[in-house]
């Protein structure tokens, strides 16, 4: 399988990356097909996921509550969060399954809390925590432009001024 960079919806390109310089992230062999890795550049934690569509680069943070996705699971183009069992589509940037805590999807539609199969139904007693869960919005992914040069994956990241 030849490694390539996957395309992503242009509207979801990470802010500040349009004219950003490309920087070395890792070697192609460090992101095996079907695998994920975390790379940190200037304090920015990136997820590199090698899917059947190619390699996607996004923040290594769940768009729900910022858990590191790199320790989750990758199934095709769907990355699973290890914290609240949300599933996110790397191809579209959208949630494929809302987290167990429910909340607002990227379009503002409310989803209730839920329990995984085989577990007791989740009780969500009223109060500030329930209200916070109800108002927590799951975001779409923001993607970083990437390219393969030789055997190296390079990623465009914004220049952070001191």
């Amino acid at each position: 399988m030849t490694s390539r960079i996957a395309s992503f919806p242009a509207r979801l390109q990470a802010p500040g990356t349009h004219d950003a310089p490309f920087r070395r992230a890792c070697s192609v062999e460090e992101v095996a097909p079907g695998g994920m890795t975390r790379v940190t550049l200037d304090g920015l934690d990136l997820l590199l996921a090698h899917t059947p569509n190619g390699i996607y680069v996004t923040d290594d943070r769940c768009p729900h509550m910022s858990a590191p996705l790199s320790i989750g699971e990758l199934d095709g183009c769907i990355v699973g969060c290890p914290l609240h069992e949300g599933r996110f589509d790397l191809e579209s940037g959208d949630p494929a399954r809302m987290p167990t805590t429910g909340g607002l999807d990227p379009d503002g539609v409310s989803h209730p809390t839920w329990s995984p199969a085989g577990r007791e139904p989740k009780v969500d007693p009223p109060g500030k925590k329930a209200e916070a869960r109800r108002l927590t919005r799951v975001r779409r992914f923001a993607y970083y432009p990437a390219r393969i040069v030789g055997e190296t994956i390079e990623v465009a990241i914004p220049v952070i001024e001191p």
Side-chain angles (χ1 to χ4, degrees):
M1 175 178 189
T2 303
S3 298
R4 63 184 172 81
I5 300 299
S7 60
F8 58 84
R11 65 182 170 42
L12 298 180
Q13 184 168 329
T17 60
H18 182 67
D19 294 319
F22 281 87
R23 305 235 339 253
R24 181 189 191 287
C26 64
S27 69
V28 171
E29 69 181 23
E30 291 177 69
V31 191
M36 301 184 291
T37 193
R38 177 185 188 139
V39 174
T40 302
L41 299 172
D42 292 340
L44 182 63
D45 299 322
L46 300 173
L47 171 72
L48 284 76
H50 197 158
T51 74
N53 291 354
I55 298 170
Y56 288 98
V57 182
T58 188
D59 292 305
D60 187 23
R61 294 282 172 233
C62 174
H64 170 234
M65 289 194 163
S66 297
L69 292 170
S70 58
I71 62 172
E73 297 176 359
L74 182 62
D75 181 13
C77 290
I78 304 294
V79 62
C81 178
L83 191 56
H84 295 117
E85 302 191 41
R87 301 284 181 259
F88 305 94
D89 187 342
L90 288 164
E91 187 173 18
S92 68
D94 290 326
R97 180 176 74 196
M98 286 292 285
T100 58
T101 57
L104 300 174
D105 66 21
D107 296 319
V109 176
S110 181
H111 297 264
T113 60
W114 61 275
S115 297
R119 294 203 188 148
E120 292 291 319
K122 183 176 272 191
V123 177
D124 201 14
K128 287 187 179 195
K129 287 184 180 181
E131 184 72 1
R133 281 189 287 277
R134 188 179 70 76
L135 295 174
T136 297
R137 183 183 303 270
V138 174
R139 306 282 179 196
R140 288 183 174 92
F141 284 128
Y143 296 88
Y144 294 85
R147 64 187 183 192
I148 296 175
V149 178
E151 294 299 314
T152 300
I153 300 171
E154 296 181 344
V155 179
I157 62 167
V159 175
I160 299 170
E161 300 295 327

mmCIF file of all heavy atoms in Angstrom, residues 61-66 88 95 98-99 101-111 130-141:
data_model
loop_
_atom_site.group_PDB
_atom_site.id
_atom_site.type_symbol
_atom_site.label_atom_id
_atom_site.label_comp_id
_atom_site.label_asym_id
_atom_site.label_seq_id
_atom_site.Cartn_x
_atom_site.Cartn_y
_atom_site.Cartn_z
ATOM 1 N N ARG A 61 -7.046 15.525 19.920
ATOM 2 C CA ARG A 61 -7.991 15.848 20.980
ATOM 3 C C ARG A 61 -9.381 15.516 20.487
ATOM 4 O O ARG A 61 -9.768 15.906 19.389
ATOM 5 C CB ARG A 61 -7.946 17.343 21.325
ATOM 6 C CG ARG A 61 -6.631 17.778 21.930
ATOM 7 C CD ARG A 61 -6.553 17.369 23.382
ATOM 8 N NE ARG A 61 -5.240 17.599 23.922
ATOM 9 C CZ ARG A 61 -4.513 16.692 24.546
ATOM 10 N NH1 ARG A 61 -4.965 15.464 24.693
ATOM 11 N NH2 ARG A 61 -3.346 16.977 25.031
ATOM 12 N N CYS A 62 -10.122 14.809 21.292
ATOM 13 C CA CYS A 62 -11.510 14.518 20.965
ATOM 14 C C CYS A 62 -12.255 15.847 20.837
ATOM 15 O O CYS A 62 -12.086 16.736 21.681
ATOM 16 C CB CYS A 62 -12.126 13.658 22.079
ATOM 17 S SG CYS A 62 -13.892 13.379 21.855
ATOM 18 N N PRO A 63 -13.082 15.999 19.803
ATOM 19 C CA PRO A 63 -13.824 17.251 19.648
ATOM 20 C C PRO A 63 -14.961 17.412 20.652
ATOM 21 O O PRO A 63 -15.709 18.360 20.597
ATOM 22 C CB PRO A 63 -14.349 17.176 18.215
ATOM 23 C CG PRO A 63 -14.305 15.752 17.838
ATOM 24 C CD PRO A 63 -13.254 15.093 18.682
ATOM 25 N N HIS A 64 -15.018 16.500 21.619
ATOM 26 C CA HIS A 64 -16.019 16.571 22.681
ATOM 27 C C HIS A 64 -15.391 17.130 23.951
ATOM 28 O O HIS A 64 -15.712 18.232 24.369
ATOM 29 C CB HIS A 64 -16.608 15.171 22.914
ATOM 30 C CG HIS A 64 -17.472 15.050 24.116
ATOM 31 N ND1 HIS A 64 -17.245 14.101 25.087
ATOM 32 C CD2 HIS A 64 -18.571 15.728 24.510
ATOM 33 C CE1 HIS A 64 -18.170 14.212 26.017
ATOM 34 N NE2 HIS A 64 -18.981 15.189 25.699
ATOM 35 N N MET A 65 -14.459 16.406 24.553
ATOM 36 C CA MET A 65 -13.858 16.858 25.803
ATOM 37 C C MET A 65 -12.347 16.717 25.821
ATOM 38 O O MET A 65 -11.741 16.585 26.875
ATOM 39 C CB MET A 65 -14.472 16.121 26.993
ATOM 40 C CG MET A 65 -15.879 16.545 27.274
ATOM 41 S SD MET A 65 -16.397 15.976 28.899
ATOM 42 C CE MET A 65 -17.805 17.019 29.155
ATOM 43 N N SER A 66 -11.738 16.721 24.652
ATOM 44 C CA SER A 66 -10.281 16.832 24.497
ATOM 45 C C SER A 66 -9.452 15.628 24.918
ATOM 46 O O SER A 66 -8.251 15.747 25.084
ATOM 47 C CB SER A 66 -9.761 18.092 25.202
ATOM 48 O OG SER A 66 -10.314 19.231 24.605
ATOM 49 N N PHE A 88 -15.891 9.377 15.558
ATOM 50 C CA PHE A 88 -15.795 10.543 14.700
ATOM 51 C C PHE A 88 -15.247 10.144 13.342
ATOM 52 O O PHE A 88 -14.296 9.379 13.245
ATOM 53 C CB PHE A 88 -14.920 11.603 15.372
ATOM 54 C CG PHE A 88 -15.417 11.946 16.743
ATOM 55 C CD1 PHE A 88 -14.895 11.304 17.866
ATOM 56 C CD2 PHE A 88 -16.442 12.841 16.914
ATOM 57 C CE1 PHE A 88 -15.379 11.575 19.131
ATOM 58 C CE2 PHE A 88 -16.942 13.121 18.187
ATOM 59 C CZ PHE A 88 -16.405 12.493 19.296
ATOM 60 N N PRO A 95 -19.292 13.858 13.816
ATOM 61 C CA PRO A 95 -19.475 12.715 14.711
ATOM 62 C C PRO A 95 -20.205 11.592 13.977
ATOM 63 O O PRO A 95 -21.173 11.844 13.259
ATOM 64 C CB PRO A 95 -20.334 13.254 15.853
ATOM 65 C CG PRO A 95 -20.535 14.698 15.626
ATOM 66 C CD PRO A 95 -20.022 15.040 14.269
ATOM 67 N N MET A 98 -22.485 10.027 18.772
ATOM 68 C CA MET A 98 -22.281 10.982 19.861
ATOM 69 C C MET A 98 -21.723 10.272 21.089
ATOM 70 O O MET A 98 -21.982 9.090 21.304
ATOM 71 C CB MET A 98 -23.603 11.666 20.207
ATOM 72 C CG MET A 98 -24.053 12.690 19.190
ATOM 73 S SD MET A 98 -23.013 14.153 19.106
ATOM 74 C CE MET A 98 -23.511 15.012 20.599
ATOM 75 N N PRO A 99 -20.946 10.992 21.907
ATOM 76 C CA PRO A 99 -20.430 10.421 23.157
ATOM 77 C C PRO A 99 -21.570 10.011 24.092
ATOM 78 O O PRO A 99 -22.701 10.483 23.956
ATOM 79 C CB PRO A 99 -19.623 11.572 23.762
ATOM 80 C CG PRO A 99 -19.334 12.481 22.616
ATOM 81 C CD PRO A 99 -20.490 12.356 21.683
ATOM 82 N N THR A 101 -22.165 10.913 26.938
ATOM 83 C CA THR A 101 -22.659 12.045 27.717
ATOM 84 C C THR A 101 -23.702 12.862 26.971
ATOM 85 O O THR A 101 -24.293 13.774 27.542
ATOM 86 C CB THR A 101 -21.498 12.974 28.102
ATOM 87 O OG1 THR A 101 -20.838 13.390 26.903
ATOM 88 C CG2 THR A 101 -20.533 12.298 29.034
ATOM 89 N N GLY A 102 -23.926 12.554 25.679
ATOM 90 C CA GLY A 102 -24.883 13.329 24.901
ATOM 91 C C GLY A 102 -24.371 14.739 24.665
ATOM 92 O O GLY A 102 -23.176 14.981 24.654
ATOM 93 N N GLY A 103 -25.283 15.662 24.465
ATOM 94 C CA GLY A 103 -24.912 17.051 24.241
ATOM 95 C C GLY A 103 -25.349 17.530 22.870
ATOM 96 O O GLY A 103 -26.210 16.924 22.226
ATOM 97 N N LEU A 104 -24.750 18.617 22.423
ATOM 98 C CA LEU A 104 -25.089 19.218 21.145
ATOM 99 C C LEU A 104 -24.135 18.725 20.063
ATOM 100 O O LEU A 104 -22.919 18.703 20.273
ATOM 101 C CB LEU A 104 -24.996 20.743 21.236
ATOM 102 C CG LEU A 104 -25.902 21.424 22.259
ATOM 103 C CD1 LEU A 104 -25.581 22.912 22.336
ATOM 104 C CD2 LEU A 104 -27.361 21.202 21.917
ATOM 105 N N ASP A 105 -24.681 18.358 18.913
ATOM 106 C CA ASP A 105 -23.807 18.000 17.799
ATOM 107 C C ASP A 105 -23.327 19.301 17.132
ATOM 108 O O ASP A 105 -23.728 20.403 17.539
ATOM 109 C CB ASP A 105 -24.500 17.030 16.838
ATOM 110 C CG ASP A 105 -25.681 17.612 16.095
ATOM 111 O OD1 ASP A 105 -25.802 18.857 15.965
ATOM 112 O OD2 ASP A 105 -26.504 16.817 15.623
ATOM 113 N N PRO A 106 -22.448 19.226 16.131
ATOM 114 C CA PRO A 106 -21.920 20.451 15.522
ATOM 115 C C PRO A 106 -22.986 21.384 14.958
ATOM 116 O O PRO A 106 -22.768 22.591 14.858
ATOM 117 C CB PRO A 106 -21.006 19.938 14.407
ATOM 118 C CG PRO A 106 -20.595 18.586 14.851
ATOM 119 C CD PRO A 106 -21.795 18.033 15.571
ATOM 120 N N ASP A 107 -24.147 20.837 14.604
ATOM 121 C CA ASP A 107 -25.219 21.656 14.060
ATOM 122 C C ASP A 107 -26.174 22.182 15.126
ATOM 123 O O ASP A 107 -27.176 22.812 14.812
ATOM 124 C CB ASP A 107 -25.990 20.865 13.002
ATOM 125 C CG ASP A 107 -25.105 20.519 11.814
ATOM 126 O OD1 ASP A 107 -24.317 21.389 11.386
ATOM 127 O OD2 ASP A 107 -25.192 19.375 11.325
ATOM 128 N N GLY A 108 -25.886 21.893 16.403
ATOM 129 C CA GLY A 108 -26.707 22.397 17.503
ATOM 130 C C GLY A 108 -27.877 21.515 17.875
ATOM 131 O O GLY A 108 -28.722 21.916 18.674
ATOM 132 N N VAL A 109 -27.953 20.304 17.324
ATOM 133 C CA VAL A 109 -29.027 19.375 17.658
ATOM 134 C C VAL A 109 -28.656 18.662 18.959
ATOM 135 O O VAL A 109 -27.543 18.160 19.109
ATOM 136 C CB VAL A 109 -29.249 18.356 16.517
ATOM 137 C CG1 VAL A 109 -30.297 17.330 16.910
ATOM 138 C CG2 VAL A 109 -29.630 19.080 15.236
ATOM 139 N N SER A 110 -29.593 18.609 19.876
ATOM 140 C CA SER A 110 -29.356 17.997 21.181
ATOM 141 C C SER A 110 -29.524 16.484 21.106
ATOM 142 O O SER A 110 -30.458 15.975 20.467
ATOM 143 C CB SER A 110 -30.333 18.571 22.205
ATOM 144 O OG SER A 110 -30.104 17.999 23.470
ATOM 145 N N HIS A 111 -28.605 15.762 21.772
ATOM 146 C CA HIS A 111 -28.659 14.302 21.858
ATOM 147 C C HIS A 111 -28.622 13.911 23.331
ATOM 148 O O HIS A 111 -27.825 14.459 24.095
ATOM 149 C CB HIS A 111 -27.463 13.673 21.132
ATOM 150 C CG HIS A 111 -27.455 13.954 19.666
ATOM 151 N ND1 HIS A 111 -27.961 13.085 18.742
ATOM 152 C CD2 HIS A 111 -27.011 15.036 18.969
ATOM 153 C CE1 HIS A 111 -27.820 13.612 17.530
ATOM 154 N NE2 HIS A 111 -27.250 14.792 17.647
ATOM 155 N N ALA A 130 -25.674 17.899 34.711
ATOM 156 C CA ALA A 130 -26.561 17.492 33.627
ATOM 157 C C ALA A 130 -26.738 18.637 32.626
ATOM 158 O O ALA A 130 -26.735 18.423 31.417
ATOM 159 C CB ALA A 130 -27.918 17.049 34.166
ATOM 160 N N GLU A 131 -26.869 19.848 33.144
ATOM 161 C CA GLU A 131 -27.007 21.025 32.272
ATOM 162 C C GLU A 131 -25.729 21.234 31.458
ATOM 163 O O GLU A 131 -25.784 21.526 30.261
ATOM 164 C CB GLU A 131 -27.318 22.271 33.113
ATOM 165 C CG GLU A 131 -27.563 23.516 32.305
ATOM 166 C CD GLU A 131 -28.904 23.503 31.574
ATOM 167 O OE1 GLU A 131 -29.672 22.544 31.695
ATOM 168 O OE2 GLU A 131 -29.165 24.487 30.856
ATOM 169 N N ALA A 132 -24.579 21.042 32.076
ATOM 170 C CA ALA A 132 -23.305 21.182 31.354
ATOM 171 C C ALA A 132 -23.196 20.127 30.259
ATOM 172 O O ALA A 132 -22.776 20.437 29.136
ATOM 173 C CB ALA A 132 -22.125 21.066 32.318
ATOM 174 N N ARG A 133 -23.577 18.893 30.547
ATOM 175 C CA ARG A 133 -23.543 17.837 29.520
ATOM 176 C C ARG A 133 -24.478 18.183 28.364
ATOM 177 O O ARG A 133 -24.138 18.035 27.201
ATOM 178 C CB ARG A 133 -23.911 16.482 30.120
ATOM 179 C CG ARG A 133 -22.779 15.824 30.880
ATOM 180 C CD ARG A 133 -23.129 14.399 31.269
ATOM 181 N NE ARG A 133 -24.113 14.339 32.342
ATOM 182 C CZ ARG A 133 -23.822 14.448 33.643
ATOM 183 N NH1 ARG A 133 -22.569 14.601 34.036
ATOM 184 N NH2 ARG A 133 -24.762 14.377 34.553
ATOM 185 N N ARG A 134 -25.655 18.680 28.695
ATOM 186 C CA ARG A 134 -26.653 19.018 27.670
ATOM 187 C C ARG A 134 -26.175 20.143 26.762
ATOM 188 O O ARG A 134 -26.482 20.179 25.577
ATOM 189 C CB ARG A 134 -27.963 19.419 28.361
ATOM 190 C CG ARG A 134 -29.122 19.611 27.411
ATOM 191 C CD ARG A 134 -30.402 19.985 28.136
ATOM 192 N NE ARG A 134 -30.371 21.325 28.707
ATOM 193 C CZ ARG A 134 -30.500 22.456 28.017
ATOM 194 N NH1 ARG A 134 -30.650 22.409 26.709
ATOM 195 N NH2 ARG A 134 -30.481 23.629 28.604
ATOM 196 N N LEU A 135 -25.372 21.061 27.294
ATOM 197 C CA LEU A 135 -24.922 22.221 26.527
ATOM 198 C C LEU A 135 -23.515 22.069 25.928
ATOM 199 O O LEU A 135 -23.043 22.958 25.234
ATOM 200 C CB LEU A 135 -24.971 23.477 27.408
ATOM 201 C CG LEU A 135 -26.366 23.901 27.858
ATOM 202 C CD1 LEU A 135 -26.276 25.066 28.832
ATOM 203 C CD2 LEU A 135 -27.245 24.240 26.665
ATOM 204 N N THR A 136 -22.856 20.943 26.210
ATOM 205 C CA THR A 136 -21.525 20.724 25.647
ATOM 206 C C THR A 136 -21.663 20.384 24.168
ATOM 207 O O THR A 136 -22.370 19.460 23.801
ATOM 208 C CB THR A 136 -20.797 19.585 26.392
ATOM 209 O OG1 THR A 136 -20.609 19.983 27.748
ATOM 210 C CG2 THR A 136 -19.445 19.301 25.765
ATOM 211 N N ARG A 137 -20.986 21.162 23.335
ATOM 212 C CA ARG A 137 -21.078 20.963 21.890
ATOM 213 C C ARG A 137 -19.897 20.136 21.391
ATOM 214 O O ARG A 137 -18.745 20.431 21.693
ATOM 215 C CB ARG A 137 -21.093 22.297 21.155
ATOM 216 C CG ARG A 137 -21.250 22.142 19.636
ATOM 217 C CD ARG A 137 -21.198 23.480 18.916
ATOM 218 N NE ARG A 137 -22.191 24.409 19.402
ATOM 219 C CZ ARG A 137 -23.425 24.532 18.913
ATOM 220 N NH1 ARG A 137 -23.817 23.746 17.940
ATOM 221 N NH2 ARG A 137 -24.244 25.426 19.407
ATOM 222 N N VAL A 138 -20.212 19.118 20.634
ATOM 223 C CA VAL A 138 -19.187 18.337 19.945
ATOM 224 C C VAL A 138 -18.855 19.097 18.670
ATOM 225 O O VAL A 138 -19.741 19.464 17.903
ATOM 226 C CB VAL A 138 -19.706 16.917 19.621
ATOM 227 C CG1 VAL A 138 -18.701 16.164 18.777
ATOM 228 C CG2 VAL A 138 -20.001 16.156 20.904
ATOM 229 N N ARG A 139 -17.591 19.367 18.457
ATOM 230 C CA ARG A 139 -17.142 20.131 17.289
ATOM 231 C C ARG A 139 -16.780 19.197 16.143
ATOM 232 O O ARG A 139 -16.595 18.001 16.334
ATOM 233 C CB ARG A 139 -15.910 20.970 17.658
ATOM 234 C CG ARG A 139 -16.103 21.868 18.859
ATOM 235 C CD ARG A 139 -16.877 23.076 18.496
ATOM 236 N NE ARG A 139 -17.075 23.920 19.679
ATOM 237 C CZ ARG A 139 -17.948 24.875 19.736
ATOM 238 N NH1 ARG A 139 -18.720 25.122 18.707
ATOM 239 N NH2 ARG A 139 -18.094 25.603 20.811
ATOM 240 N N ARG A 140 -16.632 19.774 14.980
ATOM 241 C CA ARG A 140 -16.072 19.040 13.851
ATOM 242 C C ARG A 140 -14.550 19.116 13.956
ATOM 243 O O ARG A 140 -14.003 20.020 14.582
ATOM 244 C CB ARG A 140 -16.529 19.664 12.533
ATOM 245 C CG ARG A 140 -17.986 19.414 12.229
ATOM 246 C CD ARG A 140 -18.395 19.981 10.872
ATOM 247 N NE ARG A 140 -19.762 19.595 10.581
ATOM 248 C CZ ARG A 140 -20.822 20.327 10.893
ATOM 249 N NH1 ARG A 140 -20.695 21.497 11.498
ATOM 250 N NH2 ARG A 140 -22.033 19.894 10.600
ATOM 251 N N PHE A 141 -13.887 18.157 13.338
ATOM 252 C CA PHE A 141 -12.430 18.201 13.306
ATOM 253 C C PHE A 141 -11.946 19.422 12.525
ATOM 254 O O PHE A 141 -12.615 19.878 11.603
ATOM 255 C CB PHE A 141 -11.856 16.961 12.602
ATOM 256 C CG PHE A 141 -11.880 15.712 13.421
ATOM 257 C CD1 PHE A 141 -12.428 14.559 12.908
ATOM 258 C CD2 PHE A 141 -11.331 15.674 14.686
ATOM 259 C CE1 PHE A 141 -12.443 13.384 13.630
ATOM 260 C CE2 PHE A 141 -11.343 14.510 15.433
ATOM 261 C CZ PHE A 141 -11.903 13.364 14.897
#
